[in-house]
Amino acid sequence: MKLATIKDGTRNGQLAVVSRDLKTAQLADGIAPSLQHALDDWNFIAPQLDAVYERLNAGRGINSFEFDPKNCMAPLPRAYQWADGSSYVNHVELVRKARNADMPESFWHDPLMYQGGSDDFIGPTDDIALLSEEWGIDFESEIAVITGDVPMGVKVQHASEHIRLLMLVNDVSLRNLIPAELAKGFGFFQSKPASSFSPVAVTPDELGDAWKEGKVHLPLRSTWNETLVGQPNAGVDMVFSFPQLITHLCKTRNARAGTIIGSGTVSNKDPKKGYSCIAEKRALEMIANEGQATTEFMKFGDKIRIEMLDKNGKSIFGAIDQSVVEYSAS
């Protein structure tokens, strides 16, 4: 099943069911007004949404319309919680090596995770509006899951039962603000502006055999200014699976329906797979060139497209397709 949130001038938008080929959609307002509403009563509402999905795929949708990602908000326009992990330890290792920082051995068995802002997500084709290029604007291509209610202390073997949906993420980062923030010892804040999400969120079964062991075994494509710069396989070199990330999050707390958990920047050890963020490209340059990086961060007018294709070359989530622009207060 594929679900989207259509812009309607409100904060939460309108929940819609989208066909498997991403061509048509049908509003689900008679079933659930929003995705959060559906998540809050998933066992009752999901079967009703799935029935709409089957009719859409059979060409029997009621009041269906052409699906256009430009009309989409993030699937969850705002969420109760957004926690981003760093499952691809290769990425962490490269970035730390570039600045001659040792990587604690614990990073290989104890996940990194931070809690980001979740009150104002960006739609999949909306501009990334920022005040300054000097902040070091970077994209980060990731995958995320949305959970139902998860109890504190959940065991990893049961954590996958609580995964409701998956999405793609552009976890925008402001690299030049990060060092000073981390030096305070309190973590990311201003260096992590609003994140963007794919047009649709999908149930795990939509991934077929690509979804196994709590990982998505498909390449994640990042195209920067019309150039494909990365296509690492998200199932390769992922040290911590989504069930492990959920277990880590819930060690000391419950997670409520609508919690979003990110994978962190998708990264493969094979450099031929490219990169999912500019920081990793710069790290490789610094390691090779005595601390000197040549690739610049994003500028106003730059474009970024993030997408995942199935084994038949069909888009699964639709594409995050955005431009970076200078923010102007209205």
Side-chain angles (χ1 to χ4, degrees), residues 1-3 15-17 28 31-32 34-55 148 161 163-165 202-206:
M1 181 166 55
K2 299 189 178 188
L3 303 173
L15 179 63
V17 181
I31 301 171
S34 68
L35 181 54
Q36 182 60 55
H37 184 102
L39 290 162
D40 285 339
D41 197 8
W42 186 255
N43 290 339
F44 177 69
I45 291 176
Q48 299 176 62
L49 296 174
D50 193 54
V52 173
Y53 183 61
E54 293 304 318
R55 289 196 296 270
E161 300 167 12
I163 295 173
R164 300 289 181 254
L165 298 160
V202 311
T203 48
D205 60 291
E206 288 295 320

Side-chain angles (χ1 to χ4, degrees), residues 88 90 139-143 168 216-224 226-237 265-278 280-281 284 304-311 313:
Y88 299 88
N90 176 66
F139 64 89
E140 287 194 62
S141 304
E142 306 183 12
I143 302 168
L168 303 183
V216 181
H217 294 262
L218 287 169
L220 182 59
R221 298 167 57 88
S222 300
T223 303
W224 178 20
E226 314 303 327
T227 299
L228 179 65
V229 296
Q231 48 184 342
N233 191 303
V236 174
D237 301 320
T265 307
V266 176
S267 176
N268 287 171
K269 293 179 180 179
D270 182 358
K272 294 179 182 179
K273 298 300 183 181
Y275 54 92
S276 298
C277 71
I278 302 169
E280 186 166 312
K281 169 67 169 171
L284 289 167
I304 179 64
R305 182 182 178 92
I306 301 168
E307 191 170 21
M308 178 173 279
L309 308 180
D310 64 18
K311 60 185 179 181

